[in-house]
Amino acid sequence: KDLEVPHFHHELVYEAVVMVIESSHEKTEEAMVKLLQSLFRSFVITIEQMRAGFQRCFDQMVDISIDVPQAYIILERWVLRCRQAGIINDDIVKKMPSRGRKRFVSEGDGGLIKDSSYW
């Protein structure tokens, strides 16, 4: 707020979400919820900035999950925690991506696993 660059506050939200995913620790999840909750309640970060930060992370999940295989599981858990804390709304929750269930294809493909998006 003191920096007077509110158009970058969504970047803080994005970095917080990524930090939660990359740390894979519940203590980090709790701390980041408290931080964002404090910033949201004091009107430093708006719901629109929350949406933009979360959406940016949602858009990067395919790449993030390469480095953190459990990324989608962690994201879902944390998004629901943020919703419970009242810092994001249902519209943001509904936009949360989920990894498509992988399926085995026919024996003719040598038992390879294909994304459900393949179908």
Side-chain angles (χ1 to χ4, degrees):
K1 191 172 183 177
D2 292 337
L3 296 176
E4 298 182 19
V5 287
H7 53 283
F8 285 114
H9 289 172
H10 72 280
E11 181 70 19
L12 175 69
V13 175
Y14 168 76
E15 290 295 337
V17 178
V18 171
M19 190 179 295
V20 164
I21 293 169
E22 289 179 344
S23 80
S24 304
H25 288 98
E26 202 164 316
K27 289 220 181 259
T28 306
E29 292 179 29
E30 291 172 20
M32 286 300 171
V33 165
K34 287 179 182 177
L35 174 64
L36 292 182
Q37 191 173 43
S38 174
L39 293 171
F40 184 68
R41 286 183 176 166
S42 61
F43 304 102
V44 173
I45 295 179
T46 66
I47 191 66
E48 182 55 32
Q49 292 160 337
M50 286 286 190
R51 185 206 58 75
F54 273 87
Q55 188 60 54
R56 182 164 168 230
C57 187
F58 294 169
D59 293 343
Q60 299 292 318
M61 281 303 290
V62 172
D63 293 332
I64 293 169
S65 68
I66 291 170
D67 295 328
V68 184
Q70 300 295 313
Y72 286 94
I73 295 166
I74 297 165
L75 177 70
E76 181 177 4
R77 182 177 64 222
W78 197 63
V79 164
L80 295 176
R81 183 177 280 196
C82 288
R83 179 63 186 112
Q84 237 177 355
I87 58 176
I88 60 173
N89 59 29
D90 289 337
D91 291 337
I92 295 170
V93 175
K94 288 175 190 171
K95 292 179 180 177
M96 177 178 52
S98 62
R99 175 174 284 189
R101 195 176 131 258
K102 296 193 180 231
R103 298 184 187 169
F104 284 98
V105 292
S106 71
E107 291 287 326
D109 288 339
L112 299 175
I113 297 176
K114 302 269 185 190
D115 257 355
S116 60
S117 61
Y118 176 78
W119 307 106

